[in-house]
Amino acid sequence: MTGRPPPVLLVVCLLVTLEAAAFLGLAVAWAADVVRGAATMPAASLFLVAFAAGVALLLLLAARGLWRGRRWARSPVIMWQILLAVLAIGWLGADPAVWPVVVLVVAVLIGGGLLLPSAVAATARRQDPPA
């Protein structure tokens, strides 16, 4: 990739980083519940802490990969957006609220942004180094 990534990739990377920050916040909140003794199921809460921290790390690494033009980074980000969209649609069916709409809009923006020709070209030009 020559020069800077296209603006759409900047928006996608920022939104993915925002998602990672949200999951890191969830991990901290669940960990705080365990430490304070407020968790009704501490083992399950600890699993959720590890899961949320892992998702946050994966999303941060993928955002970094996208920014550097790595094509591997598109797959985990797109897959995560599909999962979030399915969850958000389920949440909307169960209890209409503003959060599922926000999650759905962000997932569509990220997924759609990654499928735009400029984003695909920016993340397809540079070959990943051989293993």
Side-chain angles (χ1 to χ4, degrees):
M1 179 168 53
T2 59
R4 295 195 61 146
V8 69
L9 203 55
L10 172 63
V11 172
V12 165
C13 289
L14 288 174
L15 289 173
V16 171
T17 303
L18 179 66
E19 285 182 344
F23 272 90
L24 193 56
L26 284 172
V28 169
W30 283 317
D33 279 349
V34 171
V35 170
R36 286 181 307 165
T40 57
M41 295 182 358
S45 293
L46 288 175
F47 170 79
L48 289 173
V49 168
F51 179 77
V55 168
L57 180 62
L58 174 68
L59 289 174
L60 284 174
L61 290 173
R64 181 176 176 232
L66 288 172
W67 186 250
R68 292 180 171 194
R70 305 286 193 234
R71 100 186 126 198
W72 69 263
R74 288 186 308 219
S75 298
V77 172
I78 288 285
M79 188 66 215
W80 188 249
Q81 303 319 306
I82 291 169
L83 290 172
L84 283 180
V86 169
L87 285 172
I89 290 168
W91 290 332
L92 279 171
D95 184 26
V98 73
W99 283 110
V101 174
V102 170
V103 169
L104 186 58
V105 167
V106 170
V108 168
L109 286 174
I110 292 172
L114 275 180
L115 295 176
L116 290 175
S118 61
V120 171
T123 57
R125 285 189 214 149
R126 184 178 295 164
Q127 295 294 322
D128 291 335

